Amino acid sequence: MKNIKNPSTDRLFKAILNLKTVEECYDFFEDVCTIKELSDMTQRLDTAFLLYDGMSYQKITENVNVSTATIGRVSKCLNYGSGGYKLAIDRIKSEEN
């Protein structure tokens, strides 16, 4: 991932951080991503939430309709990655409580 750290990616992340509402996010991501790309990101985050909560691969496949390969990749990131999933999940769960 070190190869993506550059001024253009910084600009993308700054643009995302400057969005103020969920509706603004919908507008931005509709322009930036294809429906498939956004759907894939959504499924990966849903998968991360369910793995974080201890759900089995089989139940995740049934609930999110993702392959076990995708679940494995998300699990690897969740357990051995840079901590981005855990940070986001913890913050969202904290907001929900």
Side-chain angles (χ1 to χ4, degrees), residues 78-97:
L78 189 60
N79 293 307
Y80 306 108
S82 61
Y85 274 130
K86 286 182 182 176
L87 177 66
I89 291 168
D90 287 340
R91 286 188 180 165
I92 291 169
K93 285 181 174 278
S94 177
E95 285 178 6
E96 290 175 349
N97 292 330

Side-chain angles (χ1 to χ4, degrees), residues 3-4 6 11 16 21 23 28 35 39-40 42 49 51-52 58-59 67 80-81 84 88 90 93-96:
N3 293 346
I4 71 162
N6 60 60
R11 186 179 314 121
I16 294 167
T21 66
E23 192 59 39
F28 179 79
I35 292 170
S39 176
D40 288 348
T42 302
F49 265 90
L51 284 168
Y52 189 88
Q58 181 179 348
K59 288 286 186 192
S67 69
Y80 306 108
D90 287 340
K93 285 181 174 278
S94 177
E95 285 178 6
E96 290 175 349

Side-chain angles (χ1 to χ4, degrees), residues 6 18 22 27 33 48 76:
N6 60 60
N18 278 295
V22 172
D27 292 343
C33 299
K76 183 179 175 184

Side-chain angles (χ1 to χ4, degrees), residues 33-73:
C33 299
T34 65
I35 292 170
K36 175 75 170 123
E37 289 167 336
L38 187 55
S39 176
D40 288 348
M41 288 188 285
T42 302
Q43 286 180 324
R44 287 193 291 271
L45 184 59
D46 286 346
T47 298
F49 265 90
L50 297 174
L51 284 168
Y52 189 88
D53 289 340
M55 188 177 281
S56 72
Y57 278 35
Q58 181 179 348
K59 288 286 186 192
I60 293 170
T61 299
E62 293 168 7
N63 283 290
V64 184
N65 194 29
V66 292
S67 69
T68 55
T70 297
I71 299 168
R73 284 191 300 273

